Amino acid sequence: MLFNRARAIDYMREYGLDALVATSPVNITYFTDYYCWIDPLFKEFMMVPGASSNLAQAYAVFPLEGEPALVVNPLFAANTEELWVKDLHIFGSAGLDDSLPAGELPESLHRFQELLHAPHGNDTPTDALLSILIQRGLTGARIGLETEGLPPETKDVIARALPGASLKNCSDLIRMVRMVKSAEEIQRLTRSAEINEQAAMESLALARPGLAVSEMAGHYRALAAQKGADFDHFAFGVRGLGMTTETGYQLAEDDVLYVDYGCIYRYCFSDSGTTLAMRELPPELSERFAALRACMDAGEEAMRPGARASNVADAMVDALHDRGITASFPHGHGVGLEVRDYPVLVPDNGLRIRDDCVDLPSDLTLEADMVLNLEAPLFMPGVGSLHIEQSYVVTPQGSRPLVDQERRRPVVIGQ
């Protein structure tokens, strides 16, 4: 499972929570492994003209005691067949036509037929959530409720229906749980990164003067799909003028380009990047690339359990400054079910990560089993752009590369 169950329980005990309720599509996936392509896209007005632009609501419930539960649209109940969470709750009507005699069903689908025909009394997904909490004896409990995926009016409905409960916004607490990866999530992230690297290197090998960079991006998209991943991004730095994903730019003989790319494998993101050079770097750019490499090495050395996020960023910045480069933003970030998870490895900004449960400095402490990216870009208008981005797993002793990524030198065409 993706869910770091033991870590969630530790946080719940620390903050006195009896249950966690996920309300956003990404965290429902995290809690249960349930995913439906339409959940992050489908808004209320798309079925009810004049209604809000809120996403269609769903919920996942993880109690401290007992089994987790999932609220799902009845038409997508069968989409849960392979989940580890088995306590399913539906709402409304599936609108099934029962006028014909039912045919034979595989044994694995019998429970869905029973679920869809059983009376439930839930007109809305929030009714189903309340039914779960009532059944579990949680009407007077301390409940961590994710509010980022929840319209205020829906939270008010829940609060009025559970006057004896203490509802605590736990949006940041869930981020703290997600920050340290389960073994399954690390495995999926590893495969995502492998696909990403293979597809990117094969696509960059197509580069030649006159080729539109969009052709490389299209090739990457197709290769990632062949390997079982969904496309996320393929970005270029054009003539040192920042980044673009939508361009008809054609490669020139002297191009040196920032390239950043990523895909999604079984809901887990990859994000990486390199420098594409149409010929060997001239000395002044080779010097700058070596500075970026030293910056990355310094960040990797600083990336270990117990270090602060800012320790890594500061080490990277210092390595560049020591080599005379100040016009760059070297940093790092977690990667997981979103392209950026906590922690974010930047200089300490003095802010706090705060909800009704956690109150922590934004300069988070690194822990084993975090999956982190380090990146160091450099944009030189009219000259070109350089980039290095690599993925790592924090280990008890320090860190290790998530996958093999050649970043000691640029990708140079013809070599």
Side-chain angles (χ1 to χ4, degrees):
M1 69 177 72
L2 291 166
F3 189 45
N4 192 332
R5 188 170 187 158
R7 186 172 172 87
I9 289 171
D10 286 345
Y11 268 100
M12 292 170 73
R13 287 177 173 158
E14 181 176 356
Y15 293 102
L17 298 176
D18 301 303
L20 293 175
V21 178
T23 65
S24 66
V26 67
N27 283 326
I28 290 170
T29 296
Y30 180 66
F31 275 43
T32 66
D33 274 12
Y34 175 79
Y35 175 82
C36 182
W37 95 98
I38 206 168
D39 287 349
L41 306 172
F42 204 80
K43 299 175 182 179
E44 289 180 345
F45 75 83
M46 295 175 178
M47 280 295 287
V48 183
S52 79
S53 59
N54 297 329
L55 290 177
Q57 194 63 59
Y59 299 97
V61 180
F62 181 75
L64 191 59
E65 303 291 340
E67 289 303 306
L70 173 64
V71 175
V72 65
N73 184 302
L75 282 177
F76 292 104
N79 199 38
T80 69
E81 182 182 357
E82 297 183 1
L83 299 189
W84 65 276
V85 174
K86 302 302 181 185
D87 187 16
L88 304 179
H89 295 254
I90 60 173
F91 55 90
S93 170
L96 302 180
D97 181 355
D98 288 315
S99 62
L100 297 176
E104 289 297 318
L105 288 174
E107 182 67 30
S108 62
L109 295 180
H110 284 178
R111 66 188 181 104
F112 299 112
Q113 185 181 39
E114 294 169 1
L115 177 68
L116 294 176
H117 285 93
H120 53 70
N122 303 319
D123 292 332
T124 69
T126 302
D127 290 338
L129 169 67
L130 293 171
S131 176
I132 294 167
L133 298 176
I134 291 168
Q135 290 173 18
R136 302 296 180 88
L138 294 170
T139 56
R142 287 172 57 89
I143 299 171
L145 182 66
E146 182 194 6
T147 61
E148 286 194 7
L150 194 68
E153 59 270 24
T154 306
K155 182 183 177 184
D156 290 343
V157 169
I158 297 170
R160 287 195 300 270
L162 301 173
S166 175
L167 301 179
K168 303 289 186 182
N169 174 18
C170 67
S171 301
D172 279 319
L173 182 147
I174 292 174
R175 286 195 180 95
M176 295 302 103
V177 175
R178 282 177 47 187
M179 195 166 63
V180 173
K181 311 306 182 187
S182 66
E184 173 67 20
E185 189 171 4
I186 292 175
Q187 188 175 65
R188 295 192 199 184
L189 287 166
T190 300
R191 183 56 186 151
S192 186
E194 288 172 346
I195 293 170
N196 189 34
E197 194 70 7
Q198 292 164 8
M201 291 301 110
E202 289 186 41
S203 300
L204 295 179
L206 301 176
R208 64 183 186 277
L211 181 76
V213 295
S214 59
E215 289 191 41
M216 286 187 287
H219 193 72
Y220 169 88
R221 185 190 291 263
L223 286 174
Q226 288 173 15
K227 297 173 186 297
D230 295 317
F231 178 78
D232 182 55
H233 69 282
F234 204 88
F236 293 89
V238 175
R239 306 306 289 186
L241 298 172
M243 295 172 274
T244 178
T245 58
E246 309 299 324
T247 179
Y249 182 78
Q250 296 181 349
L251 293 170
E253 291 182 353
D254 62 343
D255 261 327
V256 179
L257 299 91
Y258 164 111
V259 191
D260 193 295
Y261 39 85
C263 62
I264 310 163
Y265 172 76
R266 297 185 65 195
Y267 329 130
C268 289
F269 281 76
S270 54
D271 183 23
S272 192
T274 189
T275 300
L276 173 65
M278 299 303 289
R279 57 192 183 193
E280 284 291 345
L281 297 183
E284 61 272 18
L285 294 188
S286 184
E287 219 174 90
R288 284 167 172 78
F289 186 88
L292 294 186
R293 185 62 258 173
C295 161
M296 295 287 289
D297 290 342
E300 181 180 358
E301 176 61 28
M303 193 165 50
R304 56 187 62 251
R308 291 283 188 181
S310 64
N311 297 153
V312 180
D314 291 345
M316 297 175 77
V317 169
D318 289 346
L320 284 186
H321 286 188
D322 288 347
R323 290 159 179 81
I325 295 177
T326 57
S328 177
F329 177 49
H331 65 288
H333 58 87
V335 63
L337 292 189
E338 295 179 281
V339 72
R340 288 192 173 222
D341 275 350
Y342 277 153
V344 181
L345 311 178
V346 294
D348 187 5
N349 59 20
L351 298 177
R352 299 192 71 80
I353 297 170
R354 181 185 293 124
D355 58 20
D356 292 338
C357 301
V358 300
D359 186 356
L360 301 166
S362 64
D363 190 14
L364 293 165
T365 300
L366 304 192
E367 301 177 54
D369 292 332
M370 289 179 171
V371 176
L372 305 174
N373 270 23
L374 299 182
E375 55 185 288
L378 187 61
F379 298 97
M380 298 155 287
V383 177
S385 48
L386 304 173
H387 187 41
I388 305 176
E389 184 169 9
Q390 288 186 262
S391 304
Y392 302 87
V393 180
V394 179
T395 68
Q397 295 76 34
S399 64
R400 65 169 176 83
L402 180 63
V403 296
D404 184 28
Q405 294 168 316
E406 173 50 66
R407 299 292 187 268
R408 289 283 155 190
R409 62 192 307 276
V411 174
V412 181
I413 296 311
Q415 296 188 8

